[in-house]
Amino acid sequence: MSAIDDSIPMKIPRVDFTSWNDHHDKFTRLRVAQELVEACQSVGFVYIVNHSLPESVLDEAFSWTKRLFDLPAEVKMKAPHPEGWAVHRGYSPPGFEKVSQNLSTGDDEETKRKMREIPDVKEVYDIGSDENTDQPNQWIPDELFPGFRAFMNKFYWECNKVGDSVLRALAVGLNLDDEFYLAKQHSGHENQVRLLHYMPIPAEELEKGHATRCGAHTDWSSITMLFQDDCGGLEVEDISRPGTFIPVEPVKNAIVMNVGDLLQRWSNGKAQLLFLR
């Protein structure tokens, strides 16, 4: 009988999509798909490298994101996040959003209330399909920020193509009869592009519990694809040591893909769900 050495920190697997995207023979593509599913089953987080999204597009996306958050507050508030929980679009200023997912069924209402009192020090801009009337986009007027809307609409659909490719690989790796089964469950109009900025804050504010970044949580979706700059900060729970989080080190141009609540349910628990923060 073998045992897991829980003294060794968990490593996040890396899957190279070169062979998948180059449409090599089915056995080569199957190996990539199986590597992806194995990563989802064993860890729930994976670096995807050599995907089809060009480096130039990612660089431009980061450039637009920086320019967005450098705008004066009054300009960003021209596209405010709508009130309430139903629509997730537009700009959310620091302290507007508070991630306080209930990580323990034993947490009482008072504990959860106190968690929500500590603000998340971040600002967010959420974007979806312009054709989704149930989740209408909130755009900064073009005359105040020309080119942003046009690029982000293009970026949205470029990311959707990559997401479809990942979902197809997952279907193959899960031995589904139809490679497109999971991708067909996504219209393309229900996705969300989330631009995030974690502004500087004195360490003592975090240490004293006066502020926080983004609390530990799972993602509700099928998959999340995250692109990091070189600052880092993302952490994932170590599956062998519950409650212990390890850093997700930035890898240039890689997708950090994680399993969401929905995919875990769809796969009947074959895809591993972990907390991230």
Side-chain angles (χ1 to χ4, degrees):
M1 179 181 295
S2 62
I4 296 175
D5 184 353
D6 60 9
S7 66
I8 301 174
M10 178 183 72
K11 289 187 177 181
I12 299 173
R14 187 178 302 204
V15 175
D16 190 332
F17 253 48
T18 301
S19 298
W20 177 268
N21 292 324
D22 289 348
H23 303 290
H24 287 205
D25 65 272
K26 64 178 182 179
F27 298 106
T28 305
R29 296 176 80 244
L30 176 60
R31 186 166 63 248
V32 175
Q34 289 173 335
E35 288 177 4
L36 180 62
V37 168
E38 182 180 352
C40 290
Q41 290 175 330
S42 62
V43 176
F45 265 67
V46 57
Y47 293 109
I48 297 177
V49 299
N50 297 319
H51 48 81
S52 59
L53 199 58
E55 180 178 354
S56 59
V57 174
L58 287 174
D59 287 344
E60 190 172 358
F62 276 111
S63 175
W64 275 110
T65 301
K66 184 178 186 308
R67 290 160 61 188
L68 164 71
F69 291 122
D70 283 345
L71 290 171
E74 60 268 23
V75 175
K76 289 180 283 192
M77 287 304 296
K78 295 291 185 181
H81 186 293
E83 292 186 10
W85 57 268
V87 177
H88 297 281
R89 297 292 183 262
Y91 175 70
S92 301
F96 181 87
E97 180 180 271
K98 173 60 191 174
V99 175
S100 58
Q101 184 170 338
N102 185 8
L103 304 185
S104 169
T105 55
D107 286 348
D108 57 27
E109 289 302 317
E110 179 64 16
T111 299
K112 288 184 282 187
R113 184 188 65 79
K114 289 181 178 179
M115 287 175 63
R116 296 189 184 105
E117 287 179 351
I118 305 173
D120 281 2
V121 183
K122 66 178 189 287
E123 54 183 337
V124 183
Y125 197 101
D126 291 316
I127 300 165
S129 166
D130 260 351
E131 298 176 46
N132 186 344
T133 56
D134 292 329
Q135 294 279 320
N137 278 322
Q138 309 294 310
W139 294 109
I140 296 172
D142 283 343
E143 60 269 22
L144 296 179
F145 200 25
F148 175 72
R149 178 175 183 173
F151 173 80
M152 284 300 164
N153 273 324
K154 180 180 73 172
F155 183 63
Y156 176 93
W157 289 109
E158 289 287 337
C159 289
N160 183 71
K161 286 193 294 185
V162 178
D164 276 356
S165 180
V166 172
L167 290 167
R168 286 165 51 204
L170 286 169
V172 170
L174 288 167
N175 298 315
L176 301 185
D177 292 335
D178 182 1
E179 174 182 320
F180 295 89
Y181 180 80
L182 292 176
K184 287 189 293 189
Q185 310 311 309
H186 299 70
S187 69
H189 298 295
E190 303 294 338
N191 299 327
Q192 181 172 325
V193 169
R194 165 159 276 212
L195 308 179
L196 279 158
H197 175 221
Y198 293 91
M199 61 282 297
I201 182 174
E204 62 181 21
E205 291 295 301
L206 300 172
E207 293 165 356
K208 293 179 179 179
H210 297 161
T212 186
R213 290 303 196 181
C214 185
H217 65 283
T218 62
D219 287 337
W220 53 265
S221 56
S222 52
I223 62 172
T224 295
M225 302 190 306
L226 181 127
F227 301 99
Q228 294 175 284
D229 60 16
D230 58 4
C231 291
L234 177 66
E235 295 182 335
V236 59
E237 188 178 31
D238 188 330
I239 190 172
S240 65
R241 299 180 295 172
T244 300
F245 286 77
I246 63 169
V248 181
E249 300 294 345
V251 174
K252 177 68 173 173
N253 298 325
I255 295 172
V256 178
M257 192 276 280
N258 69 272
V259 173
D261 301 338
L262 187 57
L263 181 58
Q264 187 196 37
R265 286 177 175 268
W266 279 352
S267 66
N268 199 24
K270 289 185 177 181
Q272 180 69 42
L273 184 68
L274 287 182
F275 289 107
L276 63 149
R277 65 183 185 188

